[in-house]
Amino acid sequence: MFRKKKPQAGLTYIAQGTKITGESQFAGDALVGGEIHGTVQSESSITIEPQGLINGEVICREIKISGYFKGKLQCEKLIITGSGTVEGEVASNQMEIFEGGQFIGVRVKEQTELLDNKHMVDEKKLQQIMELDAV
């Protein structure tokens, strides 16, 4: 009847004009109006405002981009609004792009070696595929 509520992490806001470089971890939601350069991890969702920018690697549950993202992204759900731009490698289960939104890059449904390695082609897998085609 009187259960204790789990403590929830608060909202982290990176204001316009703020620039963060390095590794960032957010336990709760994050709202980015400024710039983040580096690695970002969130247990929840990230929203990049129209003036916001993330340049680097992001792992989160959900990300909504109205600003600019460049780099490698791993998430459950990606939303690119009409003013948003995503440039890079994306591993996501769901992806929405609104009219006017831009996606420049490569998308895979789940995390693969693409996000971990700089090589675009796995030579062993390519060899296996070629052998199957020859049969």
Side-chain angles (χ1 to χ4, degrees), residues 2 9 11 20 22 32 35 53-54 60 62 74 84 88-89 91 97 100 117 122 129:
F2 294 104
L11 173 71
I20 296 176
V32 180
E35 296 181 24
L53 173 136
I54 296 180
C60 63
E62 181 177 309
Q74 181 182 344
E89 300 172 2
I97 304 176
N117 296 326
D122 183 347
I129 292 168

Side-chain angles (χ1 to χ4, degrees), residues 28-67:
D29 293 342
L31 185 59
V32 180
E35 296 181 24
I36 299 178
H37 299 269
T39 304
V40 179
Q41 291 186 350
S42 174
E43 296 175 11
S44 193
S45 64
I46 297 173
T47 300
I48 302 176
E49 294 183 321
Q51 304 81 21
L53 173 136
I54 296 180
N55 184 358
E57 297 184 26
V58 173
I59 298 172
C60 63
R61 185 177 50 77
E62 181 177 309
I63 187 164
K64 181 178 181 181
I65 301 171
S66 298

Side-chain angles (χ1 to χ4, degrees), residues 79-95:
I79 302 167
I80 304 172
T81 67
S83 62
T85 300
V86 172
E87 186 177 341
E89 300 172 2
V90 174
S92 68
N93 292 328
Q94 298 177 21
M95 185 173 179

